[in-house]
Amino acid sequence: MTSLLRNFWYVATSAKNLKAGQLVAKKMLGEPIVIGRRTDGEVFALRDICPHRGIPLHHGWIEDRSVCCCYHGWKFDTDSGRCSEIPSLTPADNLDISRIRVFNYPCREIQGHIWVFIPLDTKREINETQLPPVPTIPDFGKTTPGVAETFHFACDVDQAVIGLMDPAHGPYVHTSWWWRSGPRQFRVKEKLYEPVPMGFRLAPYEMPVSAKPYKLLGNKVSIEIIFQLPSLRTEILRGDRYVACAFTAVTPIDENTSEVYQSLYWTVPGVGLLKPLLRILTRQFMGQDRDVVIKQQEGLSYSPSLMLIDDADTQAKWYFRLKQEYEKSVLENRSFQNPIEPRILRWRS
Ligand code: FES
Ligand SMILES: [Fe+2]
């Protein structure tokens, strides 16, 4: 069974999917969570179970700074999760309603994503000042993505992550005419990887700018691909004129299913007109990754033993080592020691 890493920020939804006054039900790492946006624009995340009689709070509505349960109208403050009103009480009742709480998850809106922090323990109060920073995409400040799409992957987070970082499936899975055409042509790739905090990266290098889309960014274009726990992949193309980025976040829904958030950012002017086309291409490309894991599930349902080979699957091996070390560091109550060493990886694709 897949282990799900806690004490991390996870993408809960694209910010564009959460309108003012809206409540959205999510399941993240097996937990029912309601995400909402107040009319003042602030976002919040609460455990999606009313502590009174258990109905999910997302069936209710937002009133000012509270969520109101649809069953008996109990209200919960969106900042603290504390109960602020029980309509059925009379002045003669002496129930201390502020002691009734729903767990409130730390929640932030950054660069067009709503992030929710999933702690180790939802029984304990969270000290907001001790939270790790929300992962941000360098080079883009407060920019929101030009394209942001969500995909449901019928597999655990591990298969989703290693499928997305896998350099050898391209010629077999991504066969759209606009991506590559004609017979498969393999070349030996040789690339330097090195550790970064909580992960590893393809060390930035300058690409040959023969392909037209890269030329949009300038005459010199470098690429950097960063992978970081729990399941974040950031691919940045830096040209001498403009920058573009593909950001992928995998959020486990539960042990068996995952949600994949794919966003594209760019600073190139005028590309806004191409948004509908880029959206279609993103759906097609990620749809290919999603469809291949559906086929894979047919085999995985028999729990076969699997293989990871060098060097094409070395990144997948690193992912599991990073996960293992993270879980060990939590268990031993010590800081995380990145187990990855700089190394050149070679494969044909
Ligand atoms: S179940 Fe929510 S108020 Fe009663
Ligand atoms: Fe892929």
Side-chain angles (χ1 to χ4, degrees):
M1 196 190 273
T2 305
S3 56
L4 306 179
L5 300 186
R6 304 182 70 100
N7 241 2
F8 280 106
W9 290 95
Y10 283 95
V11 172
T13 184
S14 291
K16 66 178 168 93
N17 296 340
L18 193 63
K19 307 273 180 289
Q22 199 182 355
L23 294 173
V24 173
K26 301 295 298 185
K27 190 174 174 190
M28 299 171 71
L29 286 78
E31 291 178 22
I33 299 177
V34 56
I35 320 282
R37 188 191 290 284
R38 300 193 314 224
T39 45
D40 65 3
E42 287 299 310
V43 294
F44 62 87
L46 300 171
R47 178 168 160 82
D48 194 13
I49 305 274
C50 179
H52 180 212
R53 297 253 283 280
I55 201 166
L57 289 172
H58 75 260
H59 293 299
W61 55 90
I62 298 174
E63 268 184 37
D64 197 21
R65 303 174 75 86
S66 300
V67 171
C68 186
C69 178
C70 72
Y71 205 170
H72 311 93
W74 291 22
K75 283 190 193 168
F76 300 93
D77 180 81
T78 59
D79 286 329
S80 64
R82 281 181 205 288
C83 183
S84 53
E85 189 183 332
I86 295 184
S88 64
L89 293 179
T90 70
D93 291 305
N94 59 1
L95 179 69
D96 178 5
I97 61 168
S98 72
R99 294 184 58 169
I100 304 169
R101 290 191 60 177
V102 285
F103 186 78
N104 69 318
Y105 295 83
C107 181
R108 309 268 190 279
E109 178 172 5
I110 294 188
Q111 291 177 320
H113 294 106
I114 311 290
W115 294 83
V116 170
F117 185 78
I118 309 289
L120 282 178
D121 182 359
T122 54
K123 299 277 176 296
R124 269 198 252 154
E125 188 105 21
I126 289 190
N127 184 345
E128 290 258 349
T129 59
Q130 284 177 5
L131 292 177
V134 181
T136 47
I137 301 160
D139 302 75
F140 285 92
K142 291 189 172 168
T143 316
T144 55
V147 173
E149 294 290 315
T150 307
F151 302 86
H152 185 278
F153 273 45
C155 64
D156 64 42
V157 65
D158 293 343
Q159 291 304 329
V161 167
I162 69 173
L164 293 167
M165 62 171 49
D166 168 15
H169 73 294
Y172 295 91
V173 173
H174 300 297
T175 51
S176 316
W177 60 267
W178 50 270
W179 187 251
R180 62 183 84 225
S181 54
R184 295 183 182 100
Q185 283 172 349
F186 287 85
R187 275 190 302 121
V188 175
K189 309 276 165 60
E190 195 176 90
K191 289 171 182 170
L192 172 65
Y193 286 78
E194 55 194 19
V196 297
M198 305 306 286
F200 56 86
R201 70 168 182 172
L202 166 71
Y205 71 92
E206 210 173 287
M207 299 196 301
V209 266
S210 46
K212 274 218 179 85
Y214 298 142
K215 273 202 179 128
L216 278 175
L217 303 175
N219 289 319
K220 278 191 177 152
V221 181
S222 75
I223 183 170
E224 177 183 11
I225 303 177
I226 307 162
F227 174 80
Q228 278 172 298
L229 287 183
S231 37
L232 308 175
R233 181 185 187 276
T234 315
E235 177 169 350
I236 311 176
L237 297 167
R238 293 187 181 91
D240 49 10
R241 297 180 65 198
Y242 304 114
V243 195
C245 168
F247 174 70
T248 317
V250 185
T251 301
I253 296 172
D254 52 31
E255 265 100 2
N256 305 312
T257 49
S258 311
E259 216 157 30
V260 178
Y261 294 92
Q262 177 68 47
S263 326
L264 305 179
Y265 296 77
W266 59 80
T267 57
V268 192
V271 181
L273 292 171
L274 293 176
K275 272 186 203 175
L277 177 67
L278 286 169
R279 206 169 289 135
I280 291 168
L281 299 184
T282 303
R283 281 187 198 153
Q284 201 179 91
F285 193 87
M286 295 301 288
Q288 291 164 339
D289 288 312
R290 177 198 56 210
D291 293 347
V292 79
V293 303
I294 293 174
K295 293 176 187 156
Q296 185 191 23
Q297 288 308 306
E298 293 171 22
L300 293 186
S301 67
Y302 296 92
S303 311
S305 55
L306 307 174
M307 278 190 265
L308 293 174
I309 62 163
D310 285 320
D311 284 354
D313 297 329
T314 302
Q315 294 181 68
K317 289 186 185 179
W318 286 347
Y319 165 66
F320 287 115
R321 279 177 63 191
L322 286 163
K323 255 187 105 166
Q324 243 172 22
E325 159 57 15
Y326 174 75
E327 289 179 310
K328 229 171 137 205
S329 70
V330 172
L331 227 83
E332 293 169 4
N333 199 12
R334 59 168 172 80
S335 58
F336 173 86
Q337 307 274 339
N338 194 327
I340 313 294
E341 304 269 348
R343 179 169 153 192
I344 291 174
L345 299 184
R346 297 179 182 85
W347 69 87
R348 285 176 75 235
S349 66

